[in-house]
Amino acid sequence: MIPASFEYRRAGSVEQALGWLSEDPDSTKLLAGGHSLLPLMKLRLATPGVLVDVGRVPGLSYVRDAGDHVAVGALTRHRDVEISDVARAHVPLLAHVAGQVGDPQVRHRGTIGGSIAHGDPASDLPAAVLALDGVLVIDGPRGRREVGAGDFFRGFLETALAPDEMLTEIRVRKAPGGWAFQKFNRRAQDWAIVGVAAVVNGGARVALVNMGATTVRARGTEEALAAGAGIAEAAARAPEGLEPPSDLQGSAEYRRHLATVLVRRALEEATAAGG
Amino acid sequence: MQVTVTVNGKTESHDVEARMLLVYYLREVLGLTGTNVGCDTTSCGACTVLLNGESVKSCTMLAAQADGEEITTIEGMASSDGVLHPIQEAFREHHGLQCGFCTPGMVMAIASFLKEHPDPTEAEVREGLEGNLCRCTGYHNIVQAALAAARPGALAP
Amino acid sequence: MSTTLTDGPAAGVVGTRMLRREDPALLSGEARFVHDLVVPGALHLVLVRSPYAHARVISVDLSAALASPGVVAAFSGAELAGEWGSPMPCAWPVTADMQSPSHLPVAVDEVCYVGDAVAAVVAASQAEAQDAAAAVAVAYEELPAAVDLEDAASDRVLAHSALTSNRAYTWELVPDAAAVERAFADAAVTVRERYVQQRLIPAAMEPRGVCVVPQPFGGEYVVYSATQIPHILRTMLGITAGVPEERIRVVAPSVGGGFGSKLDVYAEELLCLALARRLRKPVRWSEERSEAAQATIHGRGQVQEIELAADTEGRVAAVRVRLLADMGAYLQLVTPGVPLLGAFLYHGVYDVPAYAFTCTGVFTNKTPTDAYRGAGRPEATYAIERAIDALARKVGVDPQEVRRRNFIQADKFPYSSPAGLVFDSGNYEAALDAALELIGYEELREAQARRRGEGATRQLGVGISSYVEMCGLAPSRVLASLNYVAGGWEAATVRMLPTGKAQVVTGASPHGQGHVTSWSMIVADKLGVSPEDVEVLHSDTAVSPLGLDTYGSRSLSVGGTAIALAADRLIDKARLLAAHRLEVAPEDLSLSAGQFSVRGSPSSAIGLGTLAFEAFTAHDLPEGMEPNLEASATYDPTNFTFPFGTHVAVVEVDTETGKVDLVRYAAVDDCGNQINPLIVDGQVHGGIVQGVAQALFEEAVYDGEGNLLTTTFTDYLVPAASELPSFSLGRTVTPSPSNPMGVKGIGEAGTIAATPAVVNAVVDALSHLGVEEMAMPVTPERVWRSIGASASGTGGGR
């Protein structure tokens, strides 16, 4: 498939990209690794008039130890997050999940910023960032702002990013305790039917993949754990209040069931790992 | 727009449409038709090439995004005197191909994989090929070929 | 007329694991598939396809498309209607009263499935053609669609407004109805099962492609197509497009897999030809993957009812089968015949006295079905192998033991089957024994018992599938009795070239099978040349004008036999020439490693290479002998061949999530004598995975309106290496007496055997929980629901 025609501009800086975005934010799209956007353009489900390629904007590919958190540049490729010593040491969940995205070829091109900004509830990284209590750093014509992951994911393919803004950095809290990621799918290359990212460190934060219009926290589970419930009892409350999709890979009912099993397994694994 | 790419060691420069995907640039502009297109959803891996030494799916990348980069295609794997690359030789030795359509992508995916995993287990090879589909071989012999290529001393079947 | 694999004691290459001669070109990227061909000035065809399963075409507005940049022409179906000499061909009218709705390459006033073409756009580039196709405005009046097979069979909604029923045909095979009735009346135990063969998308990795290059002043056309059947295609293109057959040359360059999906005559092939004729320019079409899901045939698509009548020991006395077969919207080349290829095999490997089969073909508003790897035989094997497991559970006997009690015994071959076939040779118990040993059956049963006792989350299941298939399509007289319009022979020519090399011309047309290697090996041993010195010409009607192509595991047993026979005839001629040169009687000569020598006087000898040159110069030939060493043969088999074997699958089932992991797999196949075990292994591996894919992963899913929901590889789950284990292969060798080389065929065996082995394993893993039913593909959700339903006493999966 061949995308519809568009104008291609290569940005040399965040400022230049934002300048072009502001000219016509509604029909302009940012292109990083392209692994969320280009497939849609090939099927002509997305037909932007202008593509601003930010792939070569310098200084946005890094994984940095920033004291109480780890800062990841939005253009850092999944593969680079996966093998980053800093990520592995301080946020092993993030490194692990980056190694679970798509397939090796996708991980060589796709970026963490692109994945987060796409806001797909079936993607793995948003759940990891949510479980790690991440903060998204956004630059735009009105300056820089920071949005907590809990406020960033607004709806299906919808985030707190305005059309004229750009995600530039992902910050995730260091997580010294136990963690686990459970990804359930039928083929390794597929999106998760349901996924669970769990961080256990005194308390527990549990985020779910593909259990609603956005990545979501398993609030029922978290509350139960906070109230002293055991893992099995808490896991049974994982789907509380959630409205998972029904699709070819599983009904909503099945996803609710899976969530209870996978959350229990994730919590057991995270606890055993030192949580 | 002008795109300058080093492909299989040779610098190429062409004026292409912005919407031209890398795979079509390789196939139609450069005539390197060994790289195949097997799907339209980044699923099958038939179009896998190396971008600066790492496997990527050339159907999910604009030619413009490759500007200034180094690409290796299947045509760049055998040496110029016609000697197959050890991975290609392992495919032959282990009957890792039948119709041959997925093969270039498989070879390129394995080339990249073995750089990252020089001494893989079978399970790692299988995981590492999650993004490449084959309809003929059942993968058994592809996996054998990849394992053999990782251990050149054990190339004989 | 007799031939053996090798003449004389010389160690040959036949039977060795010779590496493939095809590989260097494919591995280096040099091989050319249709999409790779550079054709200057070629125009690109893109089709506009119906988004409705069933609709009347009210109008087709091409004006915006025609104004689009780069567009050369655009046509509605009505504007092209005059191009066709006849509707699209179906070569298998299985009954005299079979209904077949008229099928044109581009629909004129009624579209009957999502993907049915309504307009054709031709532009200078693929991108421009796609842009313009998006600008074609078609007005439709939506009609009710017949989607579900059983619902369609009721005629509640008609798939075609021109037909009064959705029934295409009903075909019966009931040799002795009274015997079947009696067996069921007397049966101590009966089993009645209903299975759904979901639709599958063949998904050859190379999508289809066509390029037609006209010579407008000569009136000739070269058709490059990704096809399995260049010869059949040429004839059918001639008939359907109204071009004299001799003006058409069909070339199948490197073809990236077929599995039956390229065993067809497609609208796009006809369109490229018609448009090249009309526009006097080369026209090419490249299928996209999401287009392939709708525009290339699907496989399977049946609802099966199978009943067994048995005694309390599990001995089967009768098998009764009723099928509904989903034709899809139209009859493609062999659509109606596919169920018939299974019709004779629903008793499987078992000696069953009484047999009844009936099948009704039904039209639906979905992509047409046709032959897909195994074509009818996987469906039959699935039904009997699952039913035999159901019987084993019912009578409380181990599934391998029930099989043994019913096997056709080795001393009964050739075996006259209750369906009227003669099975050529077999030893089913030996293959079962070998497979059970290979997998370690007893240890597995112990491990299974342990896990059951522990109440483990991951339960273990072992599934057995013993199969026999009929392949080597086919004896022409048998095809005639089944109403197939063509024969089943294959043709070959073998020549010695002046320099002592050999040339083979074959009518078989490979697309991954390694024919060049196998044919070289056969001829090398015959003529005492190196396999590298054998040139194999194929897949181009200009160099190989005579042939019936590649499908139905026929290449070796029919096409390979033709080659062997032609080589023998060449040797016969060479022997006469050698006798002339050595001044001895022909019968005094023996041939070994390409040398004729005089018996008792071995120093007096002459080589085939020398004789080839002598025959080429023709300076001194015996009186009446024509120059050159060459011979042709056309082989029409006298019977099918009947490969068989036993496959064993081991699965682990996560009883909490329903996930099934195939963890081990053993296959023992018997395809008679083998030319190249390396290639046999590869065919088995690939076949197994396509069978596993049906069992666990793949289904073409339609919604209630007839929209195909699985159009891409993100929804249609072709498994990757990451989803599969390695396989343990074994082999028994029971030569076929039906052909001179004693060969059978192996292209479809793995697919036929694997599907029931895997599903039987899943049911076996869960049978202690009361699970007996399991629909395909065995998705995690289905497994989870089956466990839940059994636990809550409602029985059965969905």
Side-chain angles (χ1 to χ4, degrees), chain C residues 62-72 121-123 127-135:
Chain C
L62 301 165
S63 53
L66 286 165
S68 190
V71 169
V72 172
V121 176
V122 182
E128 288 167 325
Q130 281 186 8
D131 293 345

Side-chain angles (χ1 to χ4, degrees), chain A:
Chain A
M1 303 287 260
I2 299 168
S5 289
F6 54 82
E7 185 188 336
Y8 173 90
R9 297 182 195 167
R10 185 177 297 147
S13 66
V14 172
E15 294 68 33
Q16 190 176 32
L18 291 174
W20 282 333
L21 257 186
S22 66
E23 288 174 15
D24 184 2
D26 289 330
S27 75
T28 304
K29 283 276 185 192
L30 297 181
L31 177 73
H35 277 56
S36 298
L37 182 57
L38 287 177
L40 293 176
M41 289 176 62
K42 284 165 65 181
L43 297 170
R44 300 200 178 189
L45 297 173
T47 54
V50 179
L51 266 196
V52 174
D53 184 353
V54 295
R56 289 156 199 251
V57 170
L60 283 184
S61 175
Y62 54 82
V63 182
R64 214 174 272 151
D65 185 338
D68 64 338
H69 69 273
V70 170
V72 184
L75 290 178
T76 313
R77 303 174 313 151
H78 304 315
R79 173 70 183 164
D80 293 329
V81 175
E82 180 190 355
I83 62 174
S84 152
D85 289 338
V86 171
R88 285 180 171 184
H90 300 297
V91 280
L93 172 65
L94 189 73
H96 175 79
V97 172
Q100 298 290 304
V101 177
D103 56 43
Q105 292 96 316
V106 168
R107 298 194 286 272
H108 287 144
R109 279 299 290 169
T111 65
I112 186 171
S115 175
I116 301 285
H118 193 51
D120 188 334
S123 290
D124 301 327
L125 280 166
V129 170
L130 187 59
L132 289 164
D133 200 11
V135 171
L136 294 314
V137 181
I138 296 170
D139 284 285
R142 296 165 296 283
R144 168 169 290 203
R145 61 197 182 102
E146 296 171 11
V147 179
D151 298 319
F152 183 81
F153 302 104
R154 297 275 173 86
F156 184 72
L157 304 185
E158 193 190 324
T159 68
L161 282 167
D164 59 358
E165 289 182 316
M166 177 175 167
L167 175 63
T168 49
E169 186 175 274
I170 294 89
R171 295 176 185 161
V172 285
R173 212 175 288 284
K174 286 184 180 176
W179 60 275
F181 184 65
Q182 289 275 333
K183 182 174 185 174
F184 187 85
N185 51 19
R186 290 172 65 195
R187 296 182 307 181
Q189 71 160 245
D190 291 331
W191 282 284
I193 298 173
V194 174
V196 179
V199 176
V200 177
N201 183 16
R205 283 178 68 96
V206 180
L208 303 174
V209 181
N210 224 354
M211 281 294 289
T214 69
T215 183
V216 285
R217 283 170 69 181
R219 296 274 183 195
T221 296
E222 293 179 357
E223 284 167 19
L225 287 172
I231 284 177
E233 189 188 334
R237 291 181 55 189
E240 222 173 73
L242 302 181
E243 292 184 20
S246 277
D247 57 31
L248 287 174
Q249 307 312 335
S251 67
E253 183 191 6
Y254 178 58
R255 282 194 161 90
R256 286 194 191 94
H257 164 74
L258 272 183
T260 66
V261 175
L262 299 176
V263 165
R264 191 196 74 225
R265 290 181 181 178
L267 289 171
E268 285 168 355
E269 188 186 331
T271 306

Side-chain angles (χ1 to χ4, degrees), chain C residues 21 493-505 516 519-537 563 567 570 608-609 612 629-630:
Chain C
R21 299 182 62 200
T493 299
V494 177
R495 289 189 186 93
M496 292 291 288
L497 303 175
T499 54
K501 314 289 187 186
Q503 181 186 68
V504 180
V505 184
V516 169
W519 304 164
S520 300
M521 294 169 78
I522 292 172
V523 171
D525 278 8
K526 289 281 186 192
L527 305 183
V529 297
S530 156
E532 285 71 36
D533 288 338
V534 182
E535 177 187 23
V536 180
L537 301 178
I563 290 167
L570 182 151
L608 267 172
L629 288 184
E630 66 171 343

